[in-house]
Amino acid sequence: MKSPRVLLLIVSLAASGLIAPEVAEFLVPHAHAAEQQLYTCGMHPQVIKSEPGNCPICGMKLTPIRGNNPGAAATAGDRKVKFYKSTMIPGEVSPNPGKDSMGMDRVPVYEDEFDAASAITIDPITIQKMNLKTALVQTGPVRRTIRAVGTVGFSEPGLIDITTKYEGWIEKLFVNATWTRVKAGTPLFEIYSPDLYNAQLNFLVALRSEGSEGGPLTNAARARLQLFDVPAAFITELAQAGEARRKVVYRAPVDGVVIEKPAVQGMMVRPGERIFRLADLSTVWVNAQIYEKDLAFVHEGQHAVVRTSFGQEREFHGEVEVLIPEIVNETRTAQARLVLDNPDRALKPGMFVDVRFEAELAPSAVLVPDLAVLRSGERNTVFVARDGGTFEAREVKLGARTQDNFFAVRSGLAAGERVVTSGQFLLDSESQLRAAIQKMIRATQAGGGTAAASTPAAQGAGSGPSSPQPAPATAAAPAMPAEAQPALKQLAFASADAAAALAADDLSAYRQQLPALRTAVAGLVQAAPQSGLAKYKGALPEPTDLESARQAFEPLSTAVADLARASHLQHTAGLRIFECPMSPVLGKARWLQRESGTKNPFFGSDMPRCGEQIDGPSAATAPSADAGMKLPAGHPPIRRLAGTKPPRAAMSGSDFLRSQIGVPVALATPADETAHASGGCRGCGMSAAATAAGEPCEHEVFPAKNADASRRPKI
């Protein structure tokens, strides 16, 4: 029996159209062989040889292909459970048994188990050359430092406006510049006010009439002065002097800095008009700009550290007093206000500072180093290192990032596992290659060998656009008998209508087509049991969304298209057969359409033009058996030395590939060579008469010497 690697080679060649499907069907059942060493090219992985040497394309040295042989598994009694995983959600694991998030029972994963499709085995020497480094998955608190830019501002409670409650004229300014630092009691200005002068005279008259003991008039006059904010010391001095003062000196009520000075000497002021504005800088505000994504980690009362960005770095500690519930449109940030003591005036209004908040998101969580995570769009992948040089690619769901460059793992990893932190990109490339090979194998098994349909034949050199060339029908799609043709025709049209609904992303229209499609499937199974559609009778459940509808429809659509093609419905019923080279389920699938123009039902509006027509009412005749081997236009057919005569026997591309894997082939006979010499095609065997009549031929044509030049086909 052949090696499993030979099986991968056969499937790869069949999927790429390099060998005919019937050849693949002959080889696959016999593809379980004794292990042998194969060699491939690092630049051209399609080149696979059984012996070492150089790549025939680029000349590079071939490297050996290493398989994954994990060895015999331990007995059930000796096996140790590594973790439990969900059968429905990839990547969801737990150290304990139970139900997953969809309510299904988790299944155990043993330490000696791994998924062969996502696991890679590398020998120790190669691991050292690749510089693979690993780290343990651990548990710990999820702490995060939120950094923000802050600006120092005035403390609004420390702002004071200097005004008067009487009308007057400023005759002298003692503080005549902004940013002048003043203390309580410092003279600010000297003012003359007729109202204040009259109030002094009234107080002195009442005091003289009622004596030093005072009376109602004296008390009323004193109260009027107090309402004008005249200090008590000034009233005492006025009573002692017994003479009113024309000008009064106004003094600063508190310590501060003059930040506004609209007053000038000689100006008239009215009651309530601002003369000075003072700011107390012993306490300042710091407004930190918090981005929307970080708002969940900042709250009122949270401790914060403020660092200066000039001179010698200094730290100030404070708490969030208010988290302002408003987002600034220009910066998409919210402000967190901190109140800080500023005894030495080191923090100055307008200054930028660095603000940091320490947030603990979770007391304990599974942590993985950020270097171990391969992030590609919405998917996050890590490579888990196992014993024996085996590495498993595993998808994980991540939580918040910590300040120590770790990610909290929501699902996919368990504490104590070892992950790759360096060199995982090389492992990722190998993993994707193996996943692609496994997808080819699954497509071949699901489609019964039909996944390796041939591609349209290449056009001749210099020819114009031609209609799509039909690929040969697969062996798994037999022609239906005459009595089953009506049932097949009904099923084909029902499949085409369902495909049109899915191509238009119309789920409701697809649901309306399901009854007719199910009835047509049952009718054909009853009329022709050999059709192979019995397994699809219950395979069309009521879909909940477009994705589930397309996954259920794709295998049936491919099988129906192959049956319709084998029975030539594309010619008798006017249907068109299309093929998608990258379908989600099978990898290569087909569908039927009533009209022309590619409308892919497997992707819908995401990729409506993915695919091409391979057969239909206007399609040309079927190509030769060599159509799967697409040689460049004008390329001579592949020939090889043979021990028979003629000495250089002609060989087609498919025959050449068959010969490379040990399948006997029949070489061209002398009679064939004679036909070629008389003007026939050396690639497909078309006769000289046919080529002279202008029949289309995709191969190199050499018309007979005696043929009419005007009748020779142009190539």
Side-chain angles (χ1 to χ4, degrees):
M1 303 185 79
K2 296 183 178 67
S3 166
R5 295 194 179 105
V6 176
L7 171 61
L8 300 182
L9 171 62
I10 296 171
V11 174
S12 302
L13 293 175
S16 59
L18 296 179
I19 63 174
E22 59 269 17
V23 178
E25 291 180 359
F26 172 78
L27 295 176
V28 167
H30 306 281
H32 302 286
E35 183 70 21
Q36 64 173 341
Q37 180 65 62
L38 298 179
Y39 300 84
T40 186
C41 175
M43 299 298 295
H44 303 89
Q46 70 271 22
V47 176
I48 301 178
K49 300 290 185 179
S50 59
E51 297 179 355
N54 296 329
C55 175
I57 299 177
C58 64
M60 291 182 60
K61 184 178 180 180
L62 300 180
T63 57
I65 298 178
R66 298 175 178 84
N68 291 334
N69 297 321
T75 62
D78 298 334
R79 303 174 76 185
K80 182 179 179 181
V81 175
K82 186 69 174 180
F83 54 85
Y84 296 84
K85 70 176 183 178
S86 169
T87 58
M88 303 298 294
I89 304 177
E92 182 175 328
V93 299
S94 173
N96 302 316
K99 303 286 187 180
D100 60 14
S101 56
M102 297 187 65
M104 304 294 291
D105 290 331
R106 299 191 187 99
V107 298
V109 176
Y110 298 95
E111 290 186 343
D112 57 346
E113 285 185 347
F114 61 89
D115 185 3
S118 61
I120 307 163
T121 300
I122 304 176
D123 59 80
I125 298 178
T126 304
I127 291 176
Q128 186 175 5
K129 291 181 178 180
M130 294 172 65
N131 194 27
L132 294 182
K133 299 179 181 179
T134 61
L136 281 176
V137 178
Q138 54 188 332
T139 59
V142 182
R143 296 191 179 97
R144 184 174 179 180
T145 300
I146 309 299
R147 298 187 60 180
V149 176
T151 54
V152 180
F154 296 107
S155 174
E156 292 182 5
L159 297 178
I160 298 176
D161 280 346
I162 304 300
T163 62
T164 62
K165 297 179 180 178
Y166 43 83
E167 188 179 82
W169 286 260
I170 298 176
E171 295 194 352
K172 185 177 182 181
L173 282 175
F174 298 104
V175 177
N176 203 16
T178 55
W179 299 108
T180 301
R181 184 176 298 176
V182 298
K183 294 186 177 181
T186 301
L188 298 179
F189 57 89
E190 190 175 58
I191 186 171
Y192 162 69
S193 171
D195 295 336
L196 183 57
Y197 186 75
N198 289 333
Q200 295 181 62
L201 293 177
N202 292 336
F203 174 72
L204 292 176
V205 171
L207 185 62
R208 290 169 185 168
S209 63
E210 294 181 348
S212 59
E213 298 294 333
L217 294 177
T218 304
N219 293 335
R222 182 183 287 110
R224 187 183 180 188
L225 289 173
Q226 291 174 349
L227 292 177
F228 282 149
D229 291 336
V230 176
F234 180 84
I235 297 176
T236 302
E237 292 177 2
L238 179 63
Q240 293 175 355
E243 183 179 357
R245 297 181 183 179
R246 179 180 176 276
K247 296 181 291 185
V248 176
V249 176
Y250 197 102
R251 301 179 181 275
V254 295
D255 296 344
V257 176
V258 178
I259 60 175
E260 293 184 23
K261 189 195 76 66
V264 294
Q265 188 167 319
M267 72 175 290
M268 178 184 176
V269 295
R270 300 183 182 278
E273 184 178 355
R274 181 188 299 170
I275 303 173
F276 292 101
R277 170 168 282 189
L278 304 182
D280 182 11
L281 297 183
S282 61
T283 301
V284 293
W285 284 0
V286 172
N287 296 315
Q289 309 295 324
I290 310 299
Y291 288 104
E292 289 180 279
K293 63 183 181 65
D294 297 329
L295 284 177
F297 311 128
V298 180
H299 56 84
E300 294 181 359
Q302 185 174 357
H303 180 266
V305 178
V306 178
R307 292 185 174 93
T308 59
S309 57
F310 74 98
Q312 183 179 2
E313 185 179 281
R314 297 184 58 183
E315 285 190 359
F316 299 84
H317 297 267
E319 294 182 352
V320 178
E321 183 184 58
V322 177
L323 185 61
I324 299 177
E326 180 186 13
I327 301 296
V328 180
N329 289 330
E330 291 78 7
T331 60
R332 307 308 304 167
T333 58
Q335 287 190 357
R337 180 190 302 162
L338 289 75
V339 180
L340 300 180
D341 292 332
N342 189 28
D344 56 356
R345 311 304 194 267
L347 297 176
K348 298 172 175 56
M351 179 186 295
F352 283 108
V353 291
D354 179 28
V355 185
R356 302 189 182 189
F357 304 90
E358 300 292 337
E360 182 171 291
L361 311 183
S364 180
V366 178
L367 302 178
V368 62
D370 60 349
L371 293 176
V373 182
L374 295 177
R375 313 196 72 172
S376 57
E378 297 181 354
R379 296 189 58 186
N380 300 306
T381 307
V382 299
F383 282 90
V384 180
R386 298 184 175 276
D387 296 336
T390 301
F391 301 89
E392 175 191 357
R394 189 182 301 172
E395 184 176 353
V396 296
K397 293 183 179 180
L398 303 178
R401 183 170 185 159
T402 70
Q403 61 187 12
D404 300 327
N405 296 325
F406 283 84
F407 279 108
V409 180
R410 295 164 52 193
S411 63
L413 285 175
E417 292 187 293
R418 186 170 292 276
V419 293
V420 179
T421 59
S422 176
Q424 62 267 49
F425 288 100
L426 299 174
L427 297 177
D428 182 53
S429 301
E430 180 71 15
S431 177
Q432 292 185 20
L433 176 61
R434 295 187 182 233
I437 295 175
Q438 292 294 327
K439 187 176 181 180
M440 295 177 188
I441 296 177
R442 289 195 297 268
T444 303
Q445 294 174 347
T450 64
S454 300
T455 57
Q459 300 176 4
S463 62
S466 64
S467 58
Q469 300 295 321
T474 61
M480 293 293 97
E483 59 272 13
Q485 290 294 327
L488 176 59
K489 186 175 181 180
Q490 179 183 1
L491 176 58
F493 280 108
S495 176
D497 294 339
L502 291 178
D505 294 341
D506 193 343
L507 184 60
S508 60
Y510 175 74
R511 288 172 175 168
Q512 294 176 1
Q513 296 294 335
L514 275 180
L517 189 59
R518 297 187 184 111
T519 302
V521 171
L524 183 60
V525 171
Q526 183 177 2
Q530 71 274 21
S531 63
L533 298 185
K535 59 183 177 181
Y536 297 110
K537 291 182 65 176
L540 292 174
E542 196 68 25
T544 58
D545 52 25
L546 283 172
E547 183 178 358
S548 60
R550 287 168 174 147
Q551 290 179 353
F553 177 71
E554 181 179 327
L556 174 62
S557 173
T558 303
V560 174
D562 291 342
L563 288 174
R565 191 176 192 183
S567 299
H568 305 288
L569 284 188
Q570 69 271 25
H571 303 301
T572 60
L575 290 173
R576 291 168 171 81
I577 303 175
F578 290 78
E579 183 175 75
C580 175
M582 49 181 297
S583 60
V585 178
L586 301 180
K588 184 180 290 188
R590 291 165 287 285
W591 75 93
L592 298 172
Q593 279 187 203
R594 291 176 181 263
E595 67 281 350
S596 61
T598 305
K599 300 176 182 178
N600 194 311
F602 311 132
F603 293 104
S605 60
D606 291 339
M607 289 192 292
R609 303 304 178 203
C610 180
E612 60 182 344
Q613 180 178 334
I614 61 174
D615 213 338
S618 59
T621 57
S624 67
D626 294 335
M629 182 64 178
K630 297 178 63 176
L631 297 174
H635 191 287
I638 300 176
R639 309 170 66 91
R640 70 175 184 129
L641 293 172
T644 60
K645 293 184 177 181
R648 296 182 61 85
M651 176 177 290
S652 66
S654 296
D655 288 342
F656 177 76
L657 290 175
R658 293 188 184 99
S659 67
Q660 299 303 303
I661 58 176
V663 178
V665 296
L667 301 178
T669 63
D672 296 332
E673 292 291 324
T674 301
H676 163 63
S678 64
C681 175
R682 71 173 64 181
C684 61
M686 184 177 293
S687 66
T691 57
E695 292 292 333
C697 176
E698 59 178 320
H699 303 91
E700 183 182 5
V701 178
F702 294 91
K705 294 182 180 180
N706 58 354
D708 186 2
S710 63
R711 305 283 294 174
R712 296 178 184 177
K714 297 180 179 181
I715 55 174

